Amino acid sequence: MVPAPVVPLFLKKGLELKDRYVISEPCGSGGFGTVWRATDKQESRDVAIKRLSTRGADNIVALRQEADSIIKLKGHKNIVQVFEVFELGGEGFLVMEYVDGETLEATLRRHVRSSTWLEQDEALDYAKQTLEGLIYAHASGI
């Protein structure tokens, strides 16, 4: 007997995952997955939920490895916290700290579109924050 195929979840506003996380809106996507903003009802906070772009056991393992790496970096102000990793319907999800505000990519794109430059102090601050996170990660063995 062949098992029934698992139908991928259709994420949309109002969908609840694990009787805990209520999806509100997509935040962005990349090669590894899509990130959604959600509300954690248990902790009364907004979270970011990363959903893998592809299914399969190898991808779940990769997600858990990513989570383990980030968890090792807990406590640094320039690195998001991971709260939970879970699997639902054969898909992997990573629940992380939600950081409100414009992404660095969006900031840079806005300047490119308007043919303006970042202020020098602002550019140095972005570089400093990035380097602080990288130094901390490197010192932690990541």
Side-chain angles (χ1 to χ4, degrees):
M1 187 168 178
V2 177
V6 177
V7 178
L9 291 171
F10 179 68
L11 295 187
K12 63 179 181 176
K13 185 175 182 165
L15 178 70
E16 195 167 316
L17 302 175
K18 293 188 66 185
D19 294 325
R20 179 175 181 172
Y21 305 109
V22 181
I23 300 294
S24 57
E25 62 189 353
C27 296
S29 62
F32 196 57
T34 302
V35 178
W36 292 77
R37 184 176 183 169
T39 300
D40 180 345
K41 296 188 319 183
Q42 279 184 6
E43 298 293 330
S44 299
R45 66 181 171 203
D46 284 344
V47 294
I49 299 181
K50 184 179 207 176
R51 176 191 194 181
L52 291 179
S53 56
T54 56
R55 302 164 56 97
D58 289 343
N59 290 319
I60 301 293
V61 169
L63 182 70
R64 291 197 186 280
Q65 289 172 340
E66 177 182 356
D68 289 343
S69 295
I70 296 170
I71 288 168
K72 289 178 185 175
L73 304 176
K74 186 174 185 173
H76 194 278
K77 66 180 182 173
N78 300 105
I79 299 172
V80 297
Q81 291 184 37
V82 171
F83 301 128
E84 181 179 10
V85 178
F86 65 91
E87 186 179 338
L88 193 61
E91 297 186 66
F93 296 87
L94 180 66
V95 182
M96 303 174 288
E97 170 186 11
Y98 176 77
V99 180
D100 196 18
E102 186 176 51
T103 65
L104 179 57
E105 178 185 15
T107 299
L108 295 175
R109 286 184 185 279
R110 182 170 37 82
H111 280 280
V112 167
R113 282 193 303 270
S114 63
S115 298
T116 60
W117 290 92
L118 287 171
E119 294 294 324
Q120 183 177 3
D121 289 344
E122 185 180 11
L124 289 172
D125 184 51
Y126 290 141
K128 181 181 177 212
Q129 290 181 56
T130 302
L131 289 172
E132 285 173 349
L134 287 171
I135 289 166
Y136 184 79
H138 182 72
S140 300
I142 304 297

